[in-house]
PDB file of all heavy atoms in Angstrom:
ATOM      1  N   ALA E   1       7.614  -4.601 -10.321  1.00  0.00           N
ATOM      2  CA  ALA E   1       6.872  -5.699  -9.686  1.00  0.00           C
ATOM      3  C   ALA E   1       6.424  -5.234  -8.302  1.00  0.00           C
ATOM      4  O   ALA E   1       6.873  -5.734  -7.264  1.00  0.00           O
ATOM      5  CB  ALA E   1       7.750  -6.942  -9.596  1.00  0.00           C
ATOM      6  N   VAL E   2       5.543  -4.250  -8.297  1.00  0.00           N
ATOM      7  CA  VAL E   2       5.055  -3.625  -7.071  1.00  0.00           C
ATOM      8  C   VAL E   2       3.548  -3.428  -7.194  1.00  0.00           C
ATOM      9  O   VAL E   2       3.049  -3.085  -8.273  1.00  0.00           O
ATOM     10  CB  VAL E   2       5.738  -2.258  -6.820  1.00  0.00           C
ATOM     11  CG1 VAL E   2       5.166  -1.583  -5.578  1.00  0.00           C
ATOM     12  CG2 VAL E   2       7.245  -2.426  -6.674  1.00  0.00           C
ATOM     13  N   THR E   3       2.839  -3.624  -6.102  1.00  0.00           N
ATOM     14  CA  THR E   3       1.398  -3.388  -6.079  1.00  0.00           C
ATOM     15  C   THR E   3       1.125  -2.016  -5.491  1.00  0.00           C
ATOM     16  O   THR E   3       1.509  -1.730  -4.346  1.00  0.00           O
ATOM     17  CB  THR E   3       0.683  -4.465  -5.246  1.00  0.00           C
ATOM     18  OG1 THR E   3       0.984  -5.759  -5.795  1.00  0.00           O
ATOM     19  CG2 THR E   3      -0.819  -4.248  -5.264  1.00  0.00           C
ATOM     20  N   PHE E   4       0.483  -1.146  -6.268  1.00  0.00           N
ATOM     21  CA  PHE E   4       0.210   0.224  -5.847  1.00  0.00           C
ATOM     22  C   PHE E   4      -1.269   0.421  -5.531  1.00  0.00           C
ATOM     23  O   PHE E   4      -2.142  -0.256  -6.086  1.00  0.00           O
ATOM     24  CB  PHE E   4       0.612   1.210  -6.949  1.00  0.00           C
ATOM     25  CG  PHE E   4       2.087   1.275  -7.196  1.00  0.00           C
ATOM     26  CD1 PHE E   4       2.649   0.618  -8.296  1.00  0.00           C
ATOM     27  CD2 PHE E   4       2.930   1.974  -6.348  1.00  0.00           C
ATOM     28  CE1 PHE E   4       4.007   0.673  -8.544  1.00  0.00           C
ATOM     29  CE2 PHE E   4       4.293   2.034  -6.591  1.00  0.00           C
ATOM     30  CZ  PHE E   4       4.835   1.382  -7.684  1.00  0.00           C
ATOM     31  N   ASP E   5      -1.532   1.380  -4.660  1.00  0.00           N
ATOM     32  CA  ASP E   5      -2.880   1.858  -4.381  1.00  0.00           C
ATOM     33  C   ASP E   5      -3.028   3.202  -5.074  1.00  0.00           C
ATOM     34  O   ASP E   5      -2.287   4.144  -4.780  1.00  0.00           O
ATOM     35  CB  ASP E   5      -3.065   1.999  -2.865  1.00  0.00           C
ATOM     36  CG  ASP E   5      -4.341   2.744  -2.487  1.00  0.00           C
ATOM     37  OD1 ASP E   5      -5.280   2.771  -3.308  1.00  0.00           O
ATOM     38  OD2 ASP E   5      -4.385   3.296  -1.364  1.00  0.00           O
ATOM     39  N   GLN E   6      -3.945   3.300  -6.015  1.00  0.00           N
ATOM     40  CA  GLN E   6      -4.123   4.544  -6.755  1.00  0.00           C
ATOM     41  C   GLN E   6      -4.491   5.707  -5.839  1.00  0.00           C
ATOM     42  O   GLN E   6      -4.310   6.876  -6.184  1.00  0.00           O
ATOM     43  CB  GLN E   6      -5.193   4.365  -7.837  1.00  0.00           C
ATOM     44  CG  GLN E   6      -4.815   3.360  -8.922  1.00  0.00           C
ATOM     45  CD  GLN E   6      -3.647   3.806  -9.774  1.00  0.00           C
ATOM     46  OE1 GLN E   6      -3.454   4.996  -9.989  1.00  0.00           O
ATOM     47  NE2 GLN E   6      -2.853   2.852 -10.263  1.00  0.00           N
ATOM     48  N   GLY E   7      -4.999   5.395  -4.658  1.00  0.00           N
ATOM     49  CA  GLY E   7      -5.400   6.446  -3.730  1.00  0.00           C
ATOM     50  C   GLY E   7      -4.286   6.944  -2.832  1.00  0.00           C
ATOM     51  O   GLY E   7      -4.494   7.885  -2.054  1.00  0.00           O
ATOM     52  N   PHE E   8      -3.100   6.350  -2.941  1.00  0.00           N
ATOM     53  CA  PHE E   8      -1.993   6.800  -2.094  1.00  0.00           C
ATOM     54  C   PHE E   8      -1.634   8.238  -2.423  1.00  0.00           C
ATOM     55  O   PHE E   8      -1.661   8.664  -3.579  1.00  0.00           O
ATOM     56  CB  PHE E   8      -0.770   5.904  -2.300  1.00  0.00           C
ATOM     57  CG  PHE E   8       0.471   6.395  -1.588  1.00  0.00           C
ATOM     58  CD1 PHE E   8       0.692   6.071  -0.260  1.00  0.00           C
ATOM     59  CD2 PHE E   8       1.390   7.204  -2.240  1.00  0.00           C
ATOM     60  CE1 PHE E   8       1.821   6.532   0.394  1.00  0.00           C
ATOM     61  CE2 PHE E   8       2.529   7.673  -1.598  1.00  0.00           C
ATOM     62  CZ  PHE E   8       2.748   7.343  -0.272  1.00  0.00           C
ATOM     63  N   SER E   9      -1.241   9.008  -1.393  1.00  0.00           N
ATOM     64  CA  SER E   9      -0.857  10.398  -1.623  1.00  0.00           C
ATOM     65  C   SER E   9       0.225  10.817  -0.635  1.00  0.00           C
ATOM     66  O   SER E   9       0.170  10.468   0.550  1.00  0.00           O
ATOM     67  CB  SER E   9      -2.073  11.325  -1.463  1.00  0.00           C
ATOM     68  OG  SER E   9      -1.664  12.680  -1.494  1.00  0.00           O
ATOM     69  N   TYR E  10       1.187  11.589  -1.134  1.00  0.00           N
ATOM     70  CA  TYR E  10       2.213  12.156  -0.277  1.00  0.00           C
ATOM     71  C   TYR E  10       1.639  13.231   0.638  1.00  0.00           C
ATOM     72  O   TYR E  10       2.289  13.659   1.604  1.00  0.00           O
ATOM     73  CB  TYR E  10       3.323  12.769  -1.136  1.00  0.00           C
ATOM     74  CG  TYR E  10       4.380  11.797  -1.596  1.00  0.00           C
ATOM     75  CD1 TYR E  10       4.091  10.847  -2.577  1.00  0.00           C
ATOM     76  CD2 TYR E  10       5.656  11.826  -1.080  1.00  0.00           C
ATOM     77  CE1 TYR E  10       5.056   9.966  -3.011  1.00  0.00           C
ATOM     78  CE2 TYR E  10       6.634  10.943  -1.511  1.00  0.00           C
ATOM     79  CZ  TYR E  10       6.328  10.009  -2.478  1.00  0.00           C
ATOM     80  OH  TYR E  10       7.289   9.119  -2.900  1.00  0.00           O
ATOM     81  N   ASP E  11       0.429  13.694   0.343  1.00  0.00           N
ATOM     82  CA  ASP E  11      -0.182  14.777   1.123  1.00  0.00           C
ATOM     83  C   ASP E  11      -0.802  14.293   2.425  1.00  0.00           C
ATOM     84  O   ASP E  11      -1.209  15.109   3.256  1.00  0.00           O
ATOM     85  CB  ASP E  11      -1.258  15.479   0.288  1.00  0.00           C
ATOM     86  CG  ASP E  11      -0.671  16.163  -0.937  1.00  0.00           C
ATOM     87  OD1 ASP E  11       0.501  16.592  -0.854  1.00  0.00           O
ATOM     88  OD2 ASP E  11      -1.369  16.245  -1.957  1.00  0.00           O
ATOM     89  N   ARG E  12      -0.866  12.982   2.598  1.00  0.00           N
ATOM     90  CA  ARG E  12      -1.433  12.457   3.842  1.00  0.00           C
ATOM     91  C   ARG E  12      -0.508  12.755   5.029  1.00  0.00           C
ATOM     92  O   ARG E  12       0.697  12.944   4.874  1.00  0.00           O
ATOM     93  CB  ARG E  12      -1.609  10.945   3.750  1.00  0.00           C
ATOM     94  CG  ARG E  12      -2.663  10.490   2.782  1.00  0.00           C
ATOM     95  CD  ARG E  12      -2.617   8.982   2.663  1.00  0.00           C
ATOM     96  NE  ARG E  12      -3.702   8.449   1.865  1.00  0.00           N
ATOM     97  CZ  ARG E  12      -3.773   7.195   1.438  1.00  0.00           C
ATOM     98  NH1 ARG E  12      -2.792   6.347   1.722  1.00  0.00           N
ATOM     99  NH2 ARG E  12      -4.802   6.778   0.722  1.00  0.00           N
ATOM    100  N   GLU E  13      -1.083  12.736   6.216  1.00  0.00           N
ATOM    101  CA  GLU E  13      -0.266  12.798   7.416  1.00  0.00           C
ATOM    102  C   GLU E  13       0.475  11.468   7.566  1.00  0.00           C
ATOM    103  O   GLU E  13      -0.111  10.409   7.420  1.00  0.00           O
ATOM    104  CB  GLU E  13      -1.145  13.046   8.639  1.00  0.00           C
ATOM    105  CG  GLU E  13      -0.358  13.208   9.930  1.00  0.00           C
ATOM    106  CD  GLU E  13      -1.255  13.514  11.118  1.00  0.00           C
ATOM    107  OE1 GLU E  13      -2.475  13.705  10.902  1.00  0.00           O
ATOM    108  OE2 GLU E  13      -0.740  13.556  12.245  1.00  0.00           O
ATOM    109  N   MET E  14       1.787  11.516   7.785  1.00  0.00           N
ATOM    110  CA  MET E  14       2.627  10.318   7.887  1.00  0.00           C
ATOM    111  C   MET E  14       2.366   9.378   6.711  1.00  0.00           C
ATOM    112  O   MET E  14       1.957   8.220   6.871  1.00  0.00           O
ATOM    113  CB  MET E  14       2.368   9.588   9.206  1.00  0.00           C
ATOM    114  CG  MET E  14       2.682  10.411  10.446  1.00  0.00           C
ATOM    115  SD  MET E  14       2.219   9.563  11.979  1.00  0.00           S
ATOM    116  CE  MET E  14       3.283   8.111  11.893  1.00  0.00           C
ATOM    117  N   PRO E  15       2.590   9.846   5.480  1.00  0.00           N
ATOM    118  CA  PRO E  15       2.204   9.063   4.292  1.00  0.00           C
ATOM    119  C   PRO E  15       2.915   7.723   4.170  1.00  0.00           C
ATOM    120  O   PRO E  15       2.378   6.800   3.554  1.00  0.00           O
ATOM    121  CB  PRO E  15       2.589   9.984   3.133  1.00  0.00           C
ATOM    122  CG  PRO E  15       3.650  10.877   3.683  1.00  0.00           C
ATOM    123  CD  PRO E  15       3.269  11.096   5.113  1.00  0.00           C
ATOM    124  N   PHE E  16       4.120   7.602   4.740  1.00  0.00           N
ATOM    125  CA  PHE E  16       4.906   6.384   4.552  1.00  0.00           C
ATOM    126  C   PHE E  16       4.643   5.341   5.635  1.00  0.00           C
ATOM    127  O   PHE E  16       5.313   4.308   5.665  1.00  0.00           O
ATOM    128  CB  PHE E  16       6.398   6.730   4.514  1.00  0.00           C
ATOM    129  CG  PHE E  16       6.713   7.915   3.648  1.00  0.00           C
ATOM    130  CD1 PHE E  16       7.302   9.054   4.179  1.00  0.00           C
ATOM    131  CD2 PHE E  16       6.389   7.905   2.295  1.00  0.00           C
ATOM    132  CE1 PHE E  16       7.575  10.152   3.377  1.00  0.00           C
ATOM    133  CE2 PHE E  16       6.650   8.992   1.489  1.00  0.00           C
ATOM    134  CZ  PHE E  16       7.241  10.122   2.037  1.00  0.00           C
ATOM    135  N   ASP E  17       3.705   5.616   6.489  1.00  0.00           N
ATOM    136  CA  ASP E  17       3.384   4.684   7.562  1.00  0.00           C
ATOM    137  C   ASP E  17       2.620   3.480   7.020  1.00  0.00           C
ATOM    138  O   ASP E  17       1.787   3.601   6.118  1.00  0.00           O
ATOM    139  CB  ASP E  17       2.548   5.379   8.637  1.00  0.00           C
ATOM    140  CG  ASP E  17       2.474   4.573   9.914  1.00  0.00           C
ATOM    141  OD1 ASP E  17       1.607   3.666   9.984  1.00  0.00           O
ATOM    142  OD2 ASP E  17       3.270   4.828  10.834  1.00  0.00           O
ATOM    143  N   ALA E  18       2.882   2.319   7.572  1.00  0.00           N
ATOM    144  CA  ALA E  18       2.255   1.074   7.104  1.00  0.00           C
ATOM    145  C   ALA E  18       0.743   1.082   7.240  1.00  0.00           C
ATOM    146  O   ALA E  18       0.056   0.304   6.562  1.00  0.00           O
ATOM    147  CB  ALA E  18       2.836  -0.109   7.873  1.00  0.00           C
ATOM    148  N   GLN E  19       0.196   1.965   8.083  1.00  0.00           N
ATOM    149  CA  GLN E  19      -1.263   2.019   8.264  1.00  0.00           C
ATOM    150  C   GLN E  19      -1.987   2.367   6.959  1.00  0.00           C
ATOM    151  O   GLN E  19      -3.174   2.064   6.798  1.00  0.00           O
ATOM    152  CB  GLN E  19      -1.618   3.050   9.332  1.00  0.00           C
ATOM    153  CG  GLN E  19      -1.272   4.481   8.937  1.00  0.00           C
ATOM    154  CD  GLN E  19      -1.666   5.503   9.979  1.00  0.00           C
ATOM    155  OE1 GLN E  19      -2.766   5.447  10.518  1.00  0.00           O
ATOM    156  NE2 GLN E  19      -0.759   6.429  10.283  1.00  0.00           N
ATOM    157  N   HIS E  20      -1.270   2.982   6.007  1.00  0.00           N
ATOM    158  CA  HIS E  20      -1.905   3.376   4.748  1.00  0.00           C
ATOM    159  C   HIS E  20      -1.858   2.273   3.697  1.00  0.00           C
ATOM    160  O   HIS E  20      -2.399   2.442   2.596  1.00  0.00           O
ATOM    161  CB  HIS E  20      -1.231   4.631   4.194  1.00  0.00           C
ATOM    162  CG  HIS E  20      -1.355   5.826   5.076  1.00  0.00           C
ATOM    163  ND1 HIS E  20      -2.565   6.337   5.466  1.00  0.00           N
ATOM    164  CD2 HIS E  20      -0.393   6.605   5.669  1.00  0.00           C
ATOM    165  CE1 HIS E  20      -2.369   7.396   6.250  1.00  0.00           C
ATOM    166  NE2 HIS E  20      -1.064   7.575   6.385  1.00  0.00           N
ATOM    167  N   SER E  21      -1.214   1.152   3.993  1.00  0.00           N
ATOM    168  CA  SER E  21      -1.137   0.052   3.036  1.00  0.00           C
ATOM    169  C   SER E  21      -2.457  -0.715   3.028  1.00  0.00           C
ATOM    170  O   SER E  21      -2.984  -1.091   4.078  1.00  0.00           O
ATOM    171  CB  SER E  21       0.008  -0.886   3.422  1.00  0.00           C
ATOM    172  OG  SER E  21       0.132  -1.950   2.517  1.00  0.00           O
ATOM    173  N   VAL E  22      -2.978  -0.960   1.837  1.00  0.00           N
ATOM    174  CA  VAL E  22      -4.265  -1.654   1.691  1.00  0.00           C
ATOM    175  C   VAL E  22      -4.009  -3.158   1.587  1.00  0.00           C
ATOM    176  O   VAL E  22      -3.377  -3.636   0.631  1.00  0.00           O
ATOM    177  CB  VAL E  22      -5.019  -1.153   0.446  1.00  0.00           C
ATOM    178  CG1 VAL E  22      -6.345  -1.905   0.292  1.00  0.00           C
ATOM    179  CG2 VAL E  22      -5.242   0.350   0.528  1.00  0.00           C
ATOM    180  N   LYS E  23      -4.491  -3.909   2.553  1.00  0.00           N
ATOM    181  CA  LYS E  23      -4.266  -5.348   2.579  1.00  0.00           C
ATOM    182  C   LYS E  23      -5.216  -6.067   1.625  1.00  0.00           C
ATOM    183  O   LYS E  23      -6.374  -5.689   1.468  1.00  0.00           O
ATOM    184  CB  LYS E  23      -4.475  -5.899   3.998  1.00  0.00           C
ATOM    185  CG  LYS E  23      -3.535  -5.308   5.037  1.00  0.00           C
ATOM    186  CD  LYS E  23      -2.092  -5.659   4.746  1.00  0.00           C
ATOM    187  CE  LYS E  23      -1.135  -5.096   5.774  1.00  0.00           C
ATOM    188  NZ  LYS E  23       0.277  -5.356   5.441  1.00  0.00           N
ATOM    189  N   HIS E  24      -4.687  -7.124   0.989  1.00  0.00           N
ATOM    190  CA  HIS E  24      -5.511  -7.915   0.069  1.00  0.00           C
ATOM    191  C   HIS E  24      -4.884  -9.294  -0.102  1.00  0.00           C
ATOM    192  O   HIS E  24      -3.682  -9.479   0.116  1.00  0.00           O
ATOM    193  CB  HIS E  24      -5.620  -7.227  -1.289  1.00  0.00           C
ATOM    194  CG  HIS E  24      -4.303  -7.078  -1.988  1.00  0.00           C
ATOM    195  ND1 HIS E  24      -3.390  -6.092  -1.665  1.00  0.00           N
ATOM    196  CD2 HIS E  24      -3.719  -7.793  -2.988  1.00  0.00           C
ATOM    197  CE1 HIS E  24      -2.323  -6.207  -2.421  1.00  0.00           C
ATOM    198  NE2 HIS E  24      -2.489  -7.235  -3.234  1.00  0.00           N
ATOM    199  N   MET E  25      -5.691 -10.254  -0.485  1.00  0.00           N
ATOM    200  CA  MET E  25      -5.205 -11.603  -0.777  1.00  0.00           C
ATOM    201  C   MET E  25      -4.908 -11.690  -2.262  1.00  0.00           C
ATOM    202  O   MET E  25      -5.764 -11.379  -3.098  1.00  0.00           O
ATOM    203  CB  MET E  25      -6.263 -12.638  -0.391  1.00  0.00           C
ATOM    204  CG  MET E  25      -5.777 -14.079  -0.485  1.00  0.00           C
ATOM    205  SD  MET E  25      -4.660 -14.534   0.857  1.00  0.00           S
ATOM    206  CE  MET E  25      -5.816 -14.553   2.246  1.00  0.00           C
ATOM    207  N   ASN E  26      -3.670 -12.077  -2.614  1.00  0.00           N
ATOM    208  CA  ASN E  26      -3.355 -12.168  -4.035  1.00  0.00           C
ATOM    209  C   ASN E  26      -3.901 -13.465  -4.629  1.00  0.00           C
ATOM    210  O   ASN E  26      -4.454 -14.311  -3.916  1.00  0.00           O
ATOM    211  CB  ASN E  26      -1.846 -11.995  -4.289  1.00  0.00           C
ATOM    212  CG  ASN E  26      -1.006 -13.194  -3.852  1.00  0.00           C
ATOM    213  OD1 ASN E  26      -1.490 -14.299  -3.633  1.00  0.00           O
ATOM    214  ND2 ASN E  26       0.299 -12.975  -3.733  1.00  0.00           N
ATOM    215  N   VAL E  27      -3.736 -13.647  -5.930  1.00  0.00           N
ATOM    216  CA  VAL E  27      -4.360 -14.785  -6.612  1.00  0.00           C
ATOM    217  C   VAL E  27      -3.721 -16.111  -6.234  1.00  0.00           C
ATOM    218  O   VAL E  27      -4.262 -17.171  -6.530  1.00  0.00           O
ATOM    219  CB  VAL E  27      -4.302 -14.610  -8.152  1.00  0.00           C
ATOM    220  CG1 VAL E  27      -5.117 -13.396  -8.575  1.00  0.00           C
ATOM    221  CG2 VAL E  27      -2.867 -14.495  -8.643  1.00  0.00           C
ATOM    222  N   PHE E  28      -2.585 -16.057  -5.543  1.00  0.00           N
ATOM    223  CA  PHE E  28      -1.912 -17.287  -5.119  1.00  0.00           C
ATOM    224  C   PHE E  28      -2.151 -17.591  -3.646  1.00  0.00           C
ATOM    225  O   PHE E  28      -1.502 -18.461  -3.067  1.00  0.00           O
ATOM    226  CB  PHE E  28      -0.413 -17.182  -5.410  1.00  0.00           C
ATOM    227  CG  PHE E  28      -0.111 -16.824  -6.835  1.00  0.00           C
ATOM    228  CD1 PHE E  28       0.307 -15.553  -7.182  1.00  0.00           C
ATOM    229  CD2 PHE E  28      -0.283 -17.766  -7.850  1.00  0.00           C
ATOM    230  CE1 PHE E  28       0.561 -15.216  -8.504  1.00  0.00           C
ATOM    231  CE2 PHE E  28      -0.042 -17.440  -9.180  1.00  0.00           C
ATOM    232  CZ  PHE E  28       0.381 -16.160  -9.500  1.00  0.00           C
ATOM    233  N   GLY E  29      -3.088 -16.847  -3.056  1.00  0.00           N
ATOM    234  CA  GLY E  29      -3.463 -17.118  -1.674  1.00  0.00           C
ATOM    235  C   GLY E  29      -2.515 -16.552  -0.638  1.00  0.00           C
ATOM    236  O   GLY E  29      -2.487 -17.028   0.502  1.00  0.00           O
ATOM    237  N   ARG E  30      -1.748 -15.522  -0.985  1.00  0.00           N
ATOM    238  CA  ARG E  30      -0.830 -14.901  -0.041  1.00  0.00           C
ATOM    239  C   ARG E  30      -1.265 -13.470   0.240  1.00  0.00           C
ATOM    240  O   ARG E  30      -1.622 -12.723  -0.677  1.00  0.00           O
ATOM    241  CB  ARG E  30       0.608 -14.916  -0.576  1.00  0.00           C
ATOM    242  CG  ARG E  30       1.161 -16.306  -0.883  1.00  0.00           C
ATOM    243  CD  ARG E  30       1.207 -17.198   0.357  1.00  0.00           C
ATOM    244  NE  ARG E  30       1.880 -18.457   0.088  1.00  0.00           N
ATOM    245  CZ  ARG E  30       1.285 -19.571  -0.324  1.00  0.00           C
ATOM    246  NH1 ARG E  30      -0.035 -19.562  -0.546  1.00  0.00           N
ATOM    247  NH2 ARG E  30       1.977 -20.684  -0.515  1.00  0.00           N
ATOM    248  N   MET E  31      -1.231 -13.086   1.506  1.00  0.00           N
ATOM    249  CA  MET E  31      -1.633 -11.747   1.898  1.00  0.00           C
ATOM    250  C   MET E  31      -0.547 -10.735   1.533  1.00  0.00           C
ATOM    251  O   MET E  31       0.632 -10.963   1.782  1.00  0.00           O
ATOM    252  CB  MET E  31      -1.889 -11.695   3.406  1.00  0.00           C
ATOM    253  CG  MET E  31      -2.499 -10.386   3.891  1.00  0.00           C
ATOM    254  SD  MET E  31      -4.143 -10.056   3.181  1.00  0.00           S
ATOM    255  CE  MET E  31      -5.113 -11.329   4.015  1.00  0.00           C
ATOM    256  N   GLN E  32      -0.960  -9.650   0.907  1.00  0.00           N
ATOM    257  CA  GLN E  32      -0.054  -8.563   0.556  1.00  0.00           C
ATOM    258  C   GLN E  32      -0.674  -7.227   0.923  1.00  0.00           C
ATOM    259  O   GLN E  32      -1.849  -7.152   1.289  1.00  0.00           O
ATOM    260  CB  GLN E  32       0.272  -8.585  -0.945  1.00  0.00           C
ATOM    261  CG  GLN E  32       1.116  -9.767  -1.404  1.00  0.00           C
ATOM    262  CD  GLN E  32       1.672  -9.571  -2.799  1.00  0.00           C
ATOM    263  OE1 GLN E  32       1.338 -10.314  -3.709  1.00  0.00           O
ATOM    264  NE2 GLN E  32       2.537  -8.571  -2.974  1.00  0.00           N
ATOM    265  N   GLY E  33       0.148  -6.168   0.791  1.00  0.00           N
ATOM    266  CA  GLY E  33      -0.336  -4.818   0.969  1.00  0.00           C
ATOM    267  C   GLY E  33      -0.010  -3.992  -0.251  1.00  0.00           C
ATOM    268  O   GLY E  33       0.540  -4.495  -1.239  1.00  0.00           O
ATOM    269  N   THR E  34      -0.335  -2.702  -0.210  1.00  0.00           N
ATOM    270  CA  THR E  34       0.010  -1.789  -1.298  1.00  0.00           C
ATOM    271  C   THR E  34       1.152  -0.882  -0.849  1.00  0.00           C
ATOM    272  O   THR E  34       1.376  -0.670   0.341  1.00  0.00           O
ATOM    273  CB  THR E  34      -1.193  -0.934  -1.716  1.00  0.00           C
ATOM    274  OG1 THR E  34      -1.713  -0.247  -0.563  1.00  0.00           O
ATOM    275  CG2 THR E  34      -2.290  -1.808  -2.310  1.00  0.00           C
ATOM    276  N   CYS E  35       1.854  -0.332  -1.826  1.00  0.00           N
ATOM    277  CA  CYS E  35       3.069   0.428  -1.569  1.00  0.00           C
ATOM    278  C   CYS E  35       2.774   1.739  -0.845  1.00  0.00           C
ATOM    279  O   CYS E  35       1.855   2.477  -1.221  1.00  0.00           O
ATOM    280  CB  CYS E  35       3.774   0.717  -2.898  1.00  0.00           C
ATOM    281  SG  CYS E  35       5.295   1.658  -2.747  1.00  0.00           S
ATOM    282  N   VAL E  36       3.582   2.017   0.187  1.00  0.00           N
ATOM    283  CA  VAL E  36       3.488   3.297   0.903  1.00  0.00           C
ATOM    284  C   VAL E  36       4.774   4.111   0.738  1.00  0.00           C
ATOM    285  O   VAL E  36       5.044   5.030   1.517  1.00  0.00           O
ATOM    286  CB  VAL E  36       3.160   3.096   2.397  1.00  0.00           C
ATOM    287  CG1 VAL E  36       1.748   2.565   2.567  1.00  0.00           C
ATOM    288  CG2 VAL E  36       4.189   2.188   3.073  1.00  0.00           C
ATOM    289  N   HIS E  37       5.576   3.760  -0.270  1.00  0.00           N
ATOM    290  CA  HIS E  37       6.761   4.550  -0.629  1.00  0.00           C
ATOM    291  C   HIS E  37       7.769   4.672   0.513  1.00  0.00           C
ATOM    292  O   HIS E  37       8.471   5.683   0.634  1.00  0.00           O
ATOM    293  CB  HIS E  37       6.349   5.944  -1.113  1.00  0.00           C
ATOM    294  CG  HIS E  37       5.653   5.952  -2.436  1.00  0.00           C
ATOM    295  ND1 HIS E  37       6.094   6.683  -3.517  1.00  0.00           N
ATOM    296  CD2 HIS E  37       4.528   5.312  -2.883  1.00  0.00           C
ATOM    297  CE1 HIS E  37       5.288   6.500  -4.554  1.00  0.00           C
ATOM    298  NE2 HIS E  37       4.321   5.665  -4.183  1.00  0.00           N
TER     299      HIS E  37
END
């Protein structure tokens, strides 16, 4: 039960930083991001 970004990569600089999480509004009207591992 996790939302992933297909573009996420461990090869990025500081890959686990929250800046790489893609923000979006889910279907229930709540803001979420994508997993940064």
